[in-house]
Amino acid sequence: ELLDVLKEPASEPDNQAIDWGEVFDPDPPERLSDVKKPERAFLGRRRNCAEQEAQNRRLGEAGERFVIEYEKFRLIQAGREDLANEVEWSSQERGDGLGYDIRSFDETYESEVFLEVKTTTSGKYQPFFITENERAFSNQFANKYRLYRLYDFRANPRIFKLTGQIEKHVSLEPQTYRAHV
């Protein structure tokens, strides 16, 4: 089933049909105190890693594009069209590795904020990957950092927001290591 989803094109919702006022989910999921890890199974599989990476990249870019539209809507609704025109798709304009994807403006419309976007076609509790660089940025710039979790992307896109240091909201589990000899 997962492989079928990965083979599907990263279709984006029709922005004309989106009720932007209903996109934001004000209730982030509760942090689960005891996350059950599945028993490790050492099974052989054949994966097309290049295709999976390409699909993930398309989905991520589509999610970032969606959040930019949401941010512009949010700022225009607040009467700040001037700021809506200043929203920057930083990962596209300046490249990856910044620790965030989008530069926007906070709820007071006084200062900039840095948004990291994590997109899934699955539900609210679907785990996601975050890089060490993104985690470190969330710590160093906690007062300006927001993680936007975009979920149910194809069916009924919704966003919840995690503000500040990411590890205050989620349990982190290492997946890869850099090995030095």
Side-chain angles (χ1 to χ4, degrees):
E1 181 181 46
L2 176 61
L3 292 177
D4 292 338
V5 170
L6 293 174
K7 291 177 186 173
E8 294 175 23
S11 61
E12 296 181 42
D14 178 9
N15 285 352
Q16 301 300 322
I18 298 293
D19 181 353
W20 291 101
E22 295 296 317
V23 168
F24 184 70
D25 177 352
D27 300 316
E30 291 182 30
R31 184 173 181 175
L32 303 174
S33 60
D34 186 26
V35 177
K36 301 281 188 221
K37 295 179 189 172
E39 190 171 315
R40 185 170 300 279
F42 299 95
L43 302 173
R45 317 173 248 220
R46 296 190 189 279
R47 289 194 269 185
N48 183 336
C49 293
E51 177 57 33
Q52 185 174 353
E53 174 62 27
Q55 181 63 28
N56 288 343
R57 185 169 297 280
R58 287 190 297 267
L59 180 62
E61 286 177 2
E64 290 174 17
R65 196 170 18 260
F66 185 90
V67 168
I68 286 170
E69 291 304 314
Y70 170 74
E71 281 295 291
K72 289 179 178 181
F73 165 81
R74 181 181 69 80
L75 292 165
I76 290 169
Q77 289 300 109
R80 296 304 307 261
E81 191 169 340
D82 60 322
L83 294 179
N85 292 326
E86 296 295 319
V87 172
E88 176 188 81
W89 192 353
S90 306
S91 63
Q92 290 292 315
E93 293 183 25
R94 298 200 268 157
D96 283 332
L98 296 169
Y100 64 95
D101 299 312
I102 298 166
R103 183 185 54 81
S104 188
F105 298 89
D106 69 8
E107 294 75 12
T108 65
Y109 315 108
E110 299 292 324
S111 64
E112 66 185 2
V113 290
F114 304 104
L115 311 178
E116 176 61 33
V117 180
K118 298 296 180 182
T119 306
T120 184
T121 58
S122 297
K124 193 173 189 173
Y125 283 89
Q126 180 69 29
F128 57 91
F129 290 96
I130 185 164
T131 67
E132 172 56 22
N133 193 51
E134 293 161 353
R135 186 204 63 78
F137 188 90
S138 82
N139 288 339
Q140 189 167 344
F141 298 97
N143 62 332
K144 294 182 174 217
Y145 181 84
R146 314 286 188 267
L147 186 140
Y148 275 26
R149 179 59 160 152
L150 178 52
Y151 64 95
D152 290 338
F153 186 59
R154 287 191 186 117
N156 181 32
R158 302 291 310 272
I159 298 169
F160 68 79
K161 175 174 61 174
L162 303 176
T163 302
Q165 296 173 307
I166 191 64
E167 59 256 63
K168 288 188 175 183
H169 301 284
V170 301
S171 298
L172 297 175
E173 175 185 342
Q175 291 293 302
T176 60
Y177 299 90
R178 180 179 304 192
H180 299 271
V181 180

